[in-house]
Amino acid sequence: MKAGIQIETPVRDWLIIDATIDNTIAKEAIGGDSHTIELGQHIREVGWVQTRQHPRRADGWGGWPPVDERLEITLEPSAWRFIAEQLRRWSAVGERVADDPRWGEDERKARRDGDKRARQIADWIAQILTETAE
């Protein structure tokens, strides 16, 4: 087993990661790749363990620590790469539907901002992986 890489991430960013990986699991659950489902579940479970150990657990939205708190997440490099890939994948999907006329301008802006943040997180993870490999 490869050594893990610990990344300290704001809860706000981990919520984006968790939701993104949840989307991936849901998509793959319908005749998809069981390895992807297992990896996604593992990633989410690692985050949940850290959330339960956080001193301010349950002080934020939905039982999470407040969004400005930080989590120390340790995963194998391949799991971090998978997260970055999924963030990019789902932000690309979001970009394709961001201008759906069913949503008001505020909703469209929020969706575009969320997609942009997902790409930033993916880039940040990729940078950490590159620096760690050097």
Side-chain angles (χ1 to χ4, degrees), residues 87-105:
L87 288 166
R88 289 186 181 109
R89 170 190 182 190
W90 289 105
S91 69
V93 169
E95 288 171 357
R96 289 194 297 270
V97 299
D99 292 325
D100 190 310
R102 293 178 290 175
W103 299 309
E105 186 54 38

Side-chain angles (χ1 to χ4, degrees), residues 64-126:
W64 288 79
V67 295
D68 57 341
E69 291 289 323
R70 302 185 75 74
L71 297 171
E72 294 178 346
I73 307 292
T74 302
L75 293 165
E76 291 184 2
S78 60
W80 285 115
R81 280 191 295 279
F82 176 78
I83 290 169
E85 290 166 4
Q86 296 309 306
L87 288 166
R88 289 186 181 109
R89 170 190 182 190
W90 289 105
S91 69
V93 169
E95 288 171 357
R96 289 194 297 270
V97 299
D99 292 325
D100 190 310
R102 293 178 290 175
W103 299 309
E105 186 54 38
D106 289 345
E107 176 70 14
R108 287 192 296 271
K109 181 182 180 331
R111 288 174 178 270
R112 285 191 295 268
D113 290 349
D115 294 333
K116 178 181 177 183
R117 184 63 193 144
R119 287 188 309 276
Q120 290 170 336
I121 297 167
D123 292 345
W124 173 64
I125 290 169

